[in-house]
């Protein structure tokens, strides 16, 4: 990405930043000069991401499951011990599978709620004492499902709607301390695990691209650009916003053909 923002000397932590959109976000902050920390469940993915993200500034990686608050808090404390207070926290770990409610077990519903919603709370709560004050910025990665009801996505819709409310509620609670809390809603992003699960065929991806007002799927850089803005001084009076980086897809109802999945 052609970075027009300068994050030199800033610390950015991306929870779930080891693949797909979140890795793209981490790469954009790294290209803009930031010191990056990432974490997720797989040691192999963490190692690969750290190698990819390390340049002039070495990146730091941590293995944790966002469902385990203690593990998240330990990782974030280790990052700030090494790097200093967190300037930008991105919370993007998520799980998804397409299924009708009648086919989702209580544990399947719980898995997605625990990763997306409880996990985001864990990341925000663990980071709260470690954010730079004033000036710290939190960016939660949401999804169109937070705003658009969809068949086969009841678990994700419920979880991501909750994530948006975490964003809004904590923008109110944390604002007086000089902290901003915002969300980003990616549209359909090509080449990602999420799209592989929701639009697994070329036909489904073509239909999806055609349903976006800008008439193309997005890429991780499209989402990262919104995050670079929200984390920067250019967004200094923006808090509690949920910014779609979706080519206008939500305006068309973010249609997915999940009956065929
Ligand atoms: P992805 O590549 O599967 O990324 C998910 C990331 O979260 C991975 O780094 C994964 O690493 C980590 N993760 C998953 N479960 C975790 C857990 N329990 N604890 C810690 N880390 C965990 O998916 P993606 O499609 O790029 O999606 C990224 C984000 O964008 C998600 O928040 C998703 O809801 C959102 N989004 C995606 C799209 C899209 O088009 N793809 C559209 C709208 C919104 P490990 O496997 O190592 O844990
Ligand atoms: N349909 C219905 N239920 C499903 C399912 C599907 N396609 N996939 C998983 N489940 C259910 C499982 O059967 C299990 O329920 P059960 O114990 O009653 O049988 C429950 O979900 C948990 O599955 P498990 O594999 O043990 O969970 P996990 O914690 O290892 O993985 C997932 C979580 C299921 C969300 C997994 O897909 C994942 O790790 N996803 C991360 C990557 C991702 O989804 N990326 C896209 C982000 S948009």
């Amino acid at each position: 990405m052609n970075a027009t923002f300068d994050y030199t000397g800033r610390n950015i932590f991306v929870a779930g930043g080891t693949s797909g959109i979140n890795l793209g976000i981490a790469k954009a902050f790294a290209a803009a000069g930031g010191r990056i920390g990432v974490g997720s469940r797989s040691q192999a993915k963490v190692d690969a991401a750290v190698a990819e993200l390390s340049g002039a500034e070495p990146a730091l990686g941590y293995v944790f499951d966002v469902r385990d608050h203690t593990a998240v808090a330990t990782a974030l404390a280790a990052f700030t011990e090494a790097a200093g207070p967190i300037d930008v926290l991105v919370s993007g770990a998520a799980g998804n599978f397409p299924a009708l409610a009648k086919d989702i077990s209580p544990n399947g519903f719980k898995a997605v709620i625990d990763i997306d919603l409880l996990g985001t709370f864990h990341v925000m709560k663990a980071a709260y004492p470690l954010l730079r004050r004033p000036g710290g910025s939190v960016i939660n990665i949401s999804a169109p499902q937070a705003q658009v009801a969809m068949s086969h996505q009841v678990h994700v819709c419920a979880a991501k709607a909750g994530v948006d409310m975490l964003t809004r509620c904590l923008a109110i609670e944390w604002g007086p301390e000089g902290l901003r809390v915002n969300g980003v809603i990616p549209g359909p992003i090509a080449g990602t695990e999420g799209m592989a699960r929701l639009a697994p065929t070329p036909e489904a991806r073509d239909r999806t691209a055609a349903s976006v007002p800008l008439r193309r799927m997005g890429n991780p850089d499209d989402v990262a650009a919104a995050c670079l803005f929200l984390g920067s001084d250019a967004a200094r009076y923006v808090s509690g916003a949920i910014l779609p980086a979706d080519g206008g897809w939500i305006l068309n109802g973010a249609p997915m053909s999940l009956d065929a999945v």
Side-chain angles (χ1 to χ4, degrees):
M1 144 162 331
N2 178 13
T4 51
F5 293 95
D6 184 4
Y7 279 89
T8 306
R10 303 292 178 104
N11 297 322
I12 296 93
F13 193 94
V14 185
T18 62
S19 64
I21 296 170
N22 303 325
L23 177 59
I25 293 167
K27 282 158 85 171
F29 277 106
R35 194 181 296 112
I36 311 295
V38 290
S40 74
R41 294 168 300 177
S42 154
Q43 181 78 60
K45 285 176 70 171
V46 169
D47 291 346
V50 165
E52 199 169 347
L53 291 163
S54 292
E57 284 287 353
L60 297 167
Y62 305 90
V63 175
F64 57 75
D65 191 314
V66 290
R67 290 169 283 194
D68 179 347
H69 180 258
T70 304
V72 173
T74 301
L76 288 173
F79 177 67
T80 53
E81 178 78 18
I86 299 170
D87 294 284
V88 181
L89 173 75
V90 180
S91 180
N96 193 359
F97 52 82
L100 293 170
K102 69 180 177 60
D103 300 323
I104 301 176
S105 69
N107 195 45
F109 191 86
K110 181 177 184 301
V112 171
I113 296 290
D114 282 358
I115 299 169
D116 294 25
L117 179 53
L118 188 58
T120 301
F121 180 73
H122 285 162
V123 170
M124 296 180 81
K125 185 171 171 59
Y128 172 67
L130 307 172
L131 290 163
R132 192 181 301 282
R133 287 173 173 72
S137 167
V138 178
I139 303 168
N140 291 328
I141 305 304
S142 181
Q145 288 88 330
Q147 298 190 2
V148 179
M150 289 184 200
S151 166
H152 297 73
Q153 289 285 273
V154 65
H155 44 337
V156 177
C157 290
K160 291 289 193 179
V163 168
D164 282 3
M165 273 301 170
L166 291 182
T167 299
R168 293 191 177 104
C169 291
L170 296 190
I172 293 174
E173 289 193 16
W174 297 359
E177 295 176 58
L179 301 174
R180 297 182 298 105
V181 184
N182 293 291
V184 169
I185 296 186
I189 305 302
T192 59
E193 183 62 30
M195 271 300 113
R197 292 176 182 221
L198 299 182
T201 64
E203 294 74 27
R205 289 190 285 277
D206 286 349
R207 275 198 305 276
T208 301
S211 71
V212 178
L214 288 182
R215 292 292 186 269
R216 67 170 175 89
M217 303 261 278
N219 57 59
D221 273 357
D222 295 327
V223 184
C227 294
L228 288 175
F229 163 67
L230 286 174
S232 78
D233 191 56
R236 59 192 173 274
Y237 204 52
V238 180
S239 195
I242 316 284
L243 176 63
D246 73 339
W249 199 39
I250 291 170
L251 300 176
N252 274 347
M256 298 292 303
S257 321
L258 290 167
D259 289 331
V261 173

